[in-house]
Amino acid sequence: MHNKPALFGWPELISVLVLAAGFFVPMYTRSVLVYSILNQAFIGVIAAQSVWIMLRMNLLSFASPAFMAMGGYTVAIAGQHDITNALILVPAAFLIPALTSIPLGAMVLRLRGTYFVLVTFVLSQILQLLLFETPGLTGGSNGISGIPPVTLFDMEFGSNKMVLKFACGLAILATIITGVVTRWFRQPFAAIEENEVLAESLGLVVWRYKALGFMVSAGVAGLAGYSLVNMLLTAHPTSFESGSAVDFIAYTIIGGRATILGPLLGTGILVYATNLFGTHGQYAQGLYGVLIILVVLVARGGLTGLVQALLRTVIRRKA
Amino acid sequence: MSELRIESLAKRFGGLRVFQDISFTLPAGALLGVIGPNGAGKTTLINVISGRQKASAGKVFLAGRDITDQPAYTVSRLGLSRSFQQTNTFKSVTVAENIARAIRFGRRGAPADLPRMLDEFGLTPRLAEISDKLPYGLQKMLGLVMAFACSPQTLLLDEPAAGLERSERQNVDTFVAMVRKAGASVLIVEHDMDLIRRLCPRILVLDAGVLLADGTPDEVLARPDVIAAYLGDSEEAH
């Protein structure tokens, strides 16, 4: 009855392989549009994974933009001091939001349902306000611009091609972290997701797993912030608007909550759709909304859930 | 041994008093029934003892240790488990996974009698089934077995027979007997008077949050104030 969890499964492996394909894109195209869409997708995937980690415990978090800002501004401030080495900045972009999430988690993780949603949304708004109101540290409404590109050993990730590769690398790293954590703690997370009261009454220290999930989610969001700042070479409060959490949540819900493939698939489709609909000007938001409604109506478990259900039906019919 | 001692326990929700000044002792290995009309505070009493809700006043001691207001997971790991009035399992996973989680989360190891208990209630052949697909009676028994799978020294059962068919209620008797054979003490909250009379050598009666009576079933159920609490006053009863 007691199996040790595998640290990596097929969904995680497929996610990493799909993301790794991004490394080879510059061999086939130099299209700025393609690079831009892929960069958005990589950043979106990381942010959606941050949401997904919390959804594994049935907690819908709107705090991702706040933690993205922490990761992004950490890199931007370090850049002002000529610290550009990815070996320093990647851990910093992960750890600073993750550590900050500990006291924040102590406050918000007591809450459930709509209260948790509301408070995490407010958290993102407060952080954005702080970014505007602390110009000495964050540049205030001007943000921090002219951030030097990332360096790793002798490489400089300044060109479009290298920015794309760096975003791709961060997305893979975030996927590995997310995959390992959600696999390793799969049973406690699943128990909390399904029946928190029962899990606690059986002896599960629920707050510990929630705090751990919140920390990792914050750290992963920090990596998304790093990727965003590295793409824009600017850190600005408007890049981390609390409303962007809605997009990341939509990526996860549309893709499906069941496996880590959900955030990947959802992000891929919705980022592409955003750019596609963007050519239709005023109708873009409406078309985007229609797409989300359609998917939610047809596939309540998200697209990966729909695929799983179809596969099960096919297998049952063959049997 | 694991004696459960309750001293002047009280619970309020704002201005609403649920129960007050409840004191009793459940000796190690003993069996105690708690009865009372709906709204008497029985389930809340279990919630407070098991750490699900905080006490407004009073103390709870388990094996001499003060466990008042300790979180539910601490209370469980100290050896006090509970079951729930409604069927309460992890519905999307198999029976086996439900049992495995109870053992894993409880961290006290699986009780030796667990396989026999699974056999007894017909759960062994259904270990691979998703628990939500089980008939109601089996889901109820699974919830009880999960509480036992934590290897408790004290077990609080909240209406274990609620919703069970008459033929299935015998399983509750068997369950309680097996738990006691394993050395655990049992506190059972129940509306089924036949079951209470069959199982419990001693019962408490709660009415409107007050401990009305404490004694053997025959003594307690013959008392006019207990009859009045269940059936209304004598005029209404007639």
Side-chain angles (χ1 to χ4, degrees), chain B residues 9 48-49 55 57-61 65-71 75:
Chain B
L9 202 61
V48 171
I49 295 172
K59 293 282 180 190
V60 180
F61 295 92
R65 178 175 174 166
D66 185 356
I67 61 162
T68 319
D69 295 343
Q70 290 292 310
V75 174

Side-chain angles (χ1 to χ4, degrees), chain B residues 17-190:
Chain B
R17 184 197 72 188
V18 183
F19 59 77
Q20 67 173 10
D21 199 25
I22 304 288
S23 298
F24 63 87
T25 299
L26 175 63
L31 175 57
L32 176 65
V34 178
I35 63 170
N38 285 329
K42 304 182 296 295
T43 294
T44 309
L45 178 65
I46 285 189
N47 285 344
V48 171
I49 295 172
S50 64
R52 170 99 182 87
Q53 291 172 332
K54 290 195 185 305
S56 303
K59 293 282 180 190
V60 180
F61 295 92
L62 183 68
R65 178 175 174 166
D66 185 356
I67 61 162
T68 319
D69 295 343
Q70 290 292 310
Y73 57 81
T74 303
V75 174
S76 172
R77 289 182 176 189
L78 287 171
L80 189 148
S81 289
R82 65 162 300 177
S83 73
F84 293 84
Q85 193 175 335
Q86 309 295 330
T87 58
N88 211 354
T89 60
F90 299 107
K91 293 188 185 303
S92 70
V93 296
T94 62
V95 171
E97 185 53 42
N98 270 280
I99 302 291
R101 283 182 184 176
I103 296 167
R104 201 178 309 151
F105 297 164
R107 295 216 172 162
R108 293 169 60 87
D113 283 348
L114 184 61
R116 207 161 65 79
M117 191 177 269
L118 290 167
D119 276 341
E120 186 69 42
F121 302 127
L123 289 167
T124 304
R126 311 186 83 145
L127 283 173
E129 286 185 34
I130 299 295
S131 75
D132 197 31
K133 304 287 180 197
L134 295 177
Y136 179 87
L138 278 182
Q139 285 190 42
K140 188 90 183 183
M141 291 317 297
L142 175 59
L144 295 179
V145 174
M146 284 168 71
F148 177 69
C150 297
S151 295
Q153 291 177 312
T154 304
L155 188 54
L156 312 182
L157 304 178
D158 192 359
E159 297 196 29
L164 294 183
E165 291 174 19
R166 192 167 287 276
S167 59
E168 294 171 323
R169 293 187 180 197
Q170 189 58 42
N171 281 342
V172 176
D173 295 44
T174 310
F175 175 77
V176 170
M178 292 179 86
V179 170
R180 292 193 71 198
K181 195 178 166 203
S185 47
V186 179
L187 182 146
I188 180 166
V189 163
E190 188 50 72

Side-chain angles (χ1 to χ4, degrees), chain A residues 67-102:
Chain A
F67 295 123
M68 280 177 73
M70 287 180 206
Y73 271 88
T74 297
V75 170
I77 292 165
Q80 286 181 314
H81 296 87
D82 294 325
I83 302 169
T84 57
N85 191 335
L87 292 177
I88 298 169
L89 293 182
V90 170
F94 182 90
L95 287 174
I96 287 178
L99 294 174
T100 311
S101 76
I102 296 172

